[in-house]
């Protein structure tokens, strides 16, 4: 390469280097996005729980859940904890709660203002007899939508409201086994198992 050619290359690079930089960034983000899509963790390996209360030890809750349900292939557990007395509670419940939580813990006073059918799956007779035989239930319009929470199961992790609280299964969850609305698989019932563990038996 002679001196004239070198000068031309330098001139071209002087004006076009931003294009190369942008191209490299676009390619980098594109590859990252494609990798994320193709290697995304299946939803049935993830659980999110919405809890009405005050955080006490959410880190320990995550550790305990992952350890307890590792045999069910649970790889990710997260919690959304919000105090019903705070102004942001309704926003957290109706946005990340309804859209991402597999299980929701909601107190009685809040449920008096909500339609359970909007977010919770109907606990059918078959589901009840398979998972919740003998448990206390919550009903609206004579339809069972929830299970009464045994507060002792949660007291290590969160400060709950003093009133009765209920466990609801989100109808959009991928962890409802054969009751999952899409790609139902009897083995992927982790949300049902957690509610079964945390539910309160009738006296």
């Amino acid at each position: 390469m002679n001196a004239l050619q070198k000068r031309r290359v330098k001139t071209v690079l002087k004006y076009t280097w931003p294009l190369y930089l942008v191209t490299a960034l676009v390619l980098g983000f594109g590859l990252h996005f494609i990798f994320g899509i193709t290697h995304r963790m299946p939803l049935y390996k993830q659980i999110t729980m919405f809890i009405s209360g005050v955080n006490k030890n959410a880190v320990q809750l995550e550790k305990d859940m992952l350890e307890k349900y590792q045999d069910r292939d649970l790889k990710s557990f997260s919690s959304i904890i919000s105090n019903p007395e705070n102004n942001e509670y309704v926003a957290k419940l109706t946005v990340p709660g309804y859209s991402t939580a597999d299980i929701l813990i909601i107190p009685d006073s809040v449920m008096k203002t909500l339609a359970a059918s909007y977010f919770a799956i109907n606990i059918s007779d078959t589901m009840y007899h398979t998972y919740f035989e003998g448990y206390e239930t919550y009903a609206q319009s004579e339809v069972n939508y929830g299970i009464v929470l045994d507060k002792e199961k949660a007291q290590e992790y969160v400060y709950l409201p003093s009133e009765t609280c209920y466990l609801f299964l989100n109808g959009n969850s991928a962890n409802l086994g054969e009751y999952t609305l899409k790609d139902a698989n009897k083995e992927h019932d982790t949300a049902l198992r957690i509610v079964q563990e945390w539910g309160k038996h009738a006296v």
Side-chain angles (χ1 to χ4, degrees):
M1 183 180 291
N2 58 38
L4 179 60
Q5 289 174 321
K6 288 181 180 180
R7 284 198 299 272
R8 286 179 176 172
V9 169
K10 288 181 180 180
T11 302
V12 170
L13 287 175
K14 180 179 179 182
Y15 293 104
T16 60
W17 71 265
L19 179 61
Y20 295 115
L21 178 62
V22 171
T23 301
L25 288 172
V26 169
L27 283 173
F29 282 116
L31 290 172
H32 178 74
F33 177 77
I34 292 170
F35 182 83
I37 291 294
T38 56
H39 294 81
R40 183 179 295 166
M41 186 185 299
L43 291 176
Y44 69 84
K45 295 185 179 185
Q46 308 172 53
I47 286 285
T48 298
M49 182 182 284
F50 178 91
I51 306 174
S52 301
V54 177
N55 184 19
K56 186 177 182 181
N57 198 342
V59 173
Q60 190 61 48
L61 173 60
E62 177 184 354
K63 290 180 180 178
D64 289 350
M65 283 295 187
L66 290 175
E67 181 179 351
K68 189 174 187 69
Y69 293 98
Q70 62 180 338
D71 62 328
R72 306 203 69 79
D73 213 16
L74 183 63
K75 302 298 183 186
S76 173
F77 179 90
S78 60
S79 58
I80 304 165
I81 303 175
S82 185
N83 187 348
E85 296 182 5
N86 290 347
N87 293 332
E88 74 275 7
Y89 174 80
V90 173
K92 284 189 175 182
L93 172 61
T94 56
V95 181
Y98 287 178
S99 61
T100 66
D102 299 272
I103 302 164
L104 300 99
I105 297 176
I106 305 175
D108 185 65
S109 59
V110 174
M111 286 311 303
K112 286 181 167 58
T113 68
L114 301 176
S117 60
Y118 184 75
F119 62 91
I121 194 168
N122 170 14
I123 298 176
S124 65
D125 290 342
T126 304
M127 184 192 293
Y128 178 80
H129 291 303
T130 303
Y131 293 94
F132 309 120
E133 188 79 55
Y135 286 68
E136 292 185 40
T137 59
Y138 171 84
Q140 280 187 0
S141 303
E142 300 182 357
V143 176
N144 288 329
Y145 288 105
I147 300 294
V148 175
L149 171 69
D150 182 348
K151 291 186 175 181
E152 290 186 4
K153 303 291 185 178
Q155 64 183 3
E156 181 181 348
Y157 313 112
V158 64
Y159 298 102
L160 294 164
S162 58
E163 60 193 295
T164 301
C165 295
Y166 308 105
L167 293 149
F168 297 96
L169 292 155
N170 193 326
N172 294 320
S173 174
N175 291 283
L176 302 177
E178 62 186 294
Y179 306 100
T180 299
L181 299 178
K182 183 179 179 182
D183 300 326
N185 186 320
K186 193 173 183 178
E187 300 300 316
H188 303 158
D189 63 347
T190 308
L192 288 160
R193 297 293 180 181
I194 293 173
V195 172
Q196 188 180 55
E197 181 195 353
W198 285 35
K200 184 176 182 181
H201 285 84
V203 178

